[in-house]
Amino acid sequence: MSKRFYITTAIDYVNGQPHLGHAYEKTVTDVIARARRSFGQEVFFLTGLDEHGQKVQQAAAAEGKTPQAFCDELAESFRSLWQQLGITNDDFIRTTEPRHKEFVQAILARLHAAGQFYTQTYEGWYSTKEETFLTDKDRRPDGTFDPAYGEVIKLSETNYWFRLGAQQQWLIDYIEANLSFIQPDYRRNEVLGFLKSQKLEDLCISRPVARLNWGIPLPFDQDYVTYVWFDALVNYISIPATLGDPALAKAANSEPGTQNSRLSLWPADIHVIGKDILKFHAVYWPIMLKAMGLPLPKQVLAHGWWQKDGAKISKSTGNVVDPVAVINEWGVDAFRFYVLRELDIGPDGNWTDAGFKARYQAELANGLGNLVNRSLSMLKRYRSGVVPAHADELAPDAEKVVAATRARLEASQLQDALLAIWSLVNRANQYVDQTKPFSLAKDPAQAKRLDEVLYNLAETCRVLAVLLWPFIPGTAAKIYAQLGLSGEPSQFNAAKWGGLPAGHAIGEPAPLFPRKDQ
Ligand code: MSP
């Protein structure tokens, strides 16, 4: 049993419909997972939902539903969007499932027995909206708290706390010694800046049942439930543990899985998350894992946040992008392509409908779509769709792009990979303009030259299908089908030049990205 490439996303709060931010993160993770599979690696891709906590409880109450019924309904929206988006997750965790809850309780019991938690009474200001304690440092110059905190009440509360302070220097040393642990680099520097300038406060891990009952009960004190992060972060190991991962058997003092198909997953290779939850993943999570005696994930990859038209995405102001509506109008691959091409993993991005349409028109319809359509249509028209003898004029260009794409994919540099792939699209379109196959076809003396040009174009389309598969798998499959090839272009090795055999009959060309007149 060899260890699989294990990749995860953040698990989304179930307090509303899935939005652009959720869809972007799942798409990015899906491309990395598909790329690794196409390299021949065994992959396990986990995503899911974070269902406990006050916000979910309140959102359910506002609709007059029990939290579980509310979560069950929304879970279907998330699952169905991931299906529509072509997300190839291997499992879907919901934190209200017994398999997760039992593991969280086992971990908590073990850490409690090991003296990792202590109780402390906290007296101070508390924002119910943000579920957080506030201090006088959080007051604005006029002495009031930011209205974003909602109602702020005085609270005296005893809770369980997890010791973090003693681990601060160890974590700094670890991050500095493992430069790929937090990516991109500037996000690592943010975390180091925080760790070096502020004393790490211990983490509150409980809420009294009297105030919040929608959570996992602490196994050692029934008056409390687990506060969100000790529940949510643990999803990354609870699912592997229940799938029998031997690396996790000792974490919860449980027997290694008894299932026939035991999986070896932990440590995760990449946790893909948004920048807002980096501290939880790069500071709290490593310390929690160390306390459990477990190795740390190899990488936390933090992406930026989307805005729409330069403003924060917000349900209340109606400034939203509905991924389902975009997919229904433009197709799933147009959505996947736009978010991956527009926004590199790291900085913040801005969705504009005009920008979306411009990329659709220029890069998909006129770029890739036009190349494939005219290459295959000419092969059909001039050679009855039968592939001519092998030729390799574009082979050096293709080989360079194949190598660059592979390197970028291995480094999770998805935008750069697309740029490399489009350099081949542009090169091949330019090749059509330069060689003018439509003129060659008029001169019988140029038949051999026309054969060469048509082979180069058809083979470039085939190579492009393989390179594009992780990004826009539906389109890649269509290109393969139009080339008359069976199966999916899902193995990266197939990108080697020369795979299209002479004498092979292609299928029917059809536009990949219909032009939209708007
Ligand atoms: N439940 C926690 C995560 C727990 S992980 C153990 C959570 N949920 S969330 O629903 O608020 O966010 C889920 C993911 O979506 C996060 O990685 C977050 O950064 C991402 N995004 C939420 N809004 C976003 C944008 N506007 N743009 C890009 N990603 C954003 O946090």
Side-chain angles (χ1 to χ4, degrees), residues 131-147:
E131 293 180 62
T132 183
F133 284 100
L134 299 170
T135 67
D136 285 332
K137 274 191 286 178
D138 299 305
R139 287 183 191 276
R140 297 185 296 181
D142 68 357
T144 60
F145 291 108
D146 193 301

Side-chain angles (χ1 to χ4, degrees), residues 10-13 19 21-22 25 50 232 236 274 276-277 303-306:
I11 51 173
D12 303 318
Y13 284 132
H19 58 58
H22 300 141
E25 180 175 284
D50 190 358
Y236 300 134
D276 57 316
I277 52 175
H303 62 75
W305 266 43
W306 281 94

Side-chain angles (χ1 to χ4, degrees), residues 6 20 25 32 73 97 106 158 169 196 218 221 308 310 321 335 340 361 381 415 436 448 474 481 515:
Y6 177 33
L20 171 63
E25 180 175 284
I32 302 172
E73 273 173 36
E97 291 172 292
T158 304
Q169 191 55 47
K196 287 179 177 178
L218 292 188
D221 191 337
K308 161 112 195 286
V321 177
F335 179 89
L340 297 161
Q361 202 58 36
R381 196 170 326 128
Q415 190 191 50
K436 299 192 178 33
K448 192 159 172 298
R515 273 168 223 268

Side-chain angles (χ1 to χ4, degrees), residues 8 27 45 75 128 137 151 159 162-163 177 221 223 251 257 296 356 408 410 424 426 463 477 482 495 513:
T8 67
T27 305
F45 169 8
T128 36
K137 274 191 286 178
E151 190 193 6
N159 272 305
F162 174 53
R163 293 177 211 282
D221 191 337
D223 291 339
L296 305 196
F356 179 92
R408 304 288 178 274
E410 279 171 352
L424 184 59
N426 295 338
V463 170
Q482 293 185 19
F513 300 98

